[in-house]
Amino acid sequence: KAGVTQTPRYLIKTRGQQVTLSCSPISGHRSVSWYQQTPGQGLQFLFEYFSETQRNKGNFPGRFSGRQFSNSRSEMNVSTLELGDSALYLCASSRAGGPNSPLHFGNGTRLTVT
Amino acid sequence: AQSVTQLDSQVPVFEEAPVELRCNYSSSVSVYLFWYVQYPNQGLQLLLKYLSGSTLVKGINGFEAEFNKSQTSFHLRKPSVHISDTAEYFCAVSEGGGNTDKLIFGTGTRLQVFP
């Protein structure tokens, strides 16, 4: 069974540009969540989607957005990139969300903003 | 608001020695507690979790953790570590009773095992 797949694995962008990251959850998983990992702030929750609806949102500016498609695949978009957006972005999926539904993480997309 | 504090940013230990990684949490509601491990250039892998019931939780790779409500702690232990346990360990909390994957993570503890 394939795990959570994130593409691309590495990305280099320039300040002011926008970027789209993709996440394919494990087959049968309907909940997808996104986390940002930086050395300074650690792991921070971005947002969570279930059945194409945003179920939860973290404390990030509106430049960060996401969506989920009918096949449960998810994308997140960051517009007007800033240097501080450089981070490892992790996607995680579970069957339905909640502690009884194990959360599986992808290996992340490392975004570097120059 | 929920928060998690991992008291040690780095823990060096020799192979086959015991180790304890400390985690304290704060929350005004019931919580679920988790420990995750992250190996270099990889995502997070669940080691163990506490939802309810027995306060001693056993996980993968020989790790265990004890939930202590009075001390609001959830320390991770292993009686004998291996070189392969070298990694970053994260304690996390989620609000009890919800169907959400929103986790609040601690800042992580880097476990370095020396031969």
Side-chain angles (χ1 to χ4, degrees):
Chain A
K1 196 173 186 182
V4 177
T5 304
Q6 292 188 245
T7 55
R9 193 72 199 277
Y10 300 93
L11 205 48
I12 299 175
K13 290 286 187 179
T14 305
R15 263 183 308 176
Q17 289 185 315
Q18 75 158 15
V19 67
T20 299
L21 311 182
S22 180
C23 172
S24 293
I26 291 173
S27 178
H29 285 194
R30 295 166 63 192
S31 178
V32 174
S33 50
W34 289 87
Y35 289 82
Q36 181 196 63
Q37 186 176 22
T38 60
Q41 300 298 317
L43 280 153
Q44 293 187 286
F45 172 80
L46 279 157
F47 25 64
E48 175 186 12
Y49 288 88
F50 181 78
S51 293
E52 302 179 66
T53 301
Q54 188 177 86
R55 185 156 63 178
N56 246 314
K57 191 178 188 306
N59 295 324
F60 279 82
R63 300 186 297 108
F64 291 81
S65 63
R67 59 179 176 169
Q68 186 180 32
F69 301 96
S70 57
N71 62 358
S72 294
R73 192 177 70 84
S74 177
E75 288 181 347
M76 67 163 282
N77 184 278
V78 188
S79 62
T80 320
L81 283 165
E82 300 177 0
L83 295 179
D85 297 333
S86 294
L88 180 67
Y89 290 87
L90 292 167
C91 170
S93 75
S94 69
R95 284 200 180 278
N100 291 311
S101 187
L103 192 59
H104 298 262
F105 282 82
N107 288 332
T109 292
R110 186 165 295 281
L111 171 64
T112 301
V113 182
T114 62
Chain B
Q2 299 168 336
S3 66
V4 177
T5 302
Q6 291 185 243
L7 298 160
D8 307 296
S9 59
Q10 295 187 64
V11 172
V13 64
F14 286 108
E15 195 174 20
E16 297 183 9
V19 71
E20 178 180 81
L21 306 184
R22 297 180 294 170
C23 172
N24 285 87
Y25 70 93
S26 68
S27 176
S28 58
V29 297
S30 63
V31 295
Y32 301 130
L33 294 158
F34 307 81
W35 275 99
Y36 283 86
V37 61
Q38 185 177 33
Y39 299 102
N41 298 316
Q42 292 187 26
L44 280 72
Q45 180 183 5
L46 180 67
L47 279 175
L48 49 79
K49 63 183 178 183
Y50 172 79
L51 306 184
S52 63
S54 173
T55 57
L56 183 62
V57 181
K58 293 190 182 296
I60 62 171
N61 301 341
F63 284 95
E64 63 181 33
E66 184 154 18
F67 170 63
N68 188 317
K69 188 174 182 179
S70 62
Q71 296 187 5
T72 59
S73 67
F74 191 54
H75 300 333
L76 181 71
R77 301 185 184 101
K78 186 169 182 177
S80 176
V81 294
H82 303 288
I83 295 286
S84 59
D85 292 324
T86 294
E88 189 95 23
Y89 291 80
F90 293 92
C91 182
V93 63
S94 75
E95 192 170 292
N99 281 334
T100 176
D101 287 331
K102 178 181 179 180
L103 298 174
I104 306 300
F105 283 92
T107 50
T109 297
R110 174 151 179 76
L111 176 64
Q112 181 76 51
V113 181
F114 295 95

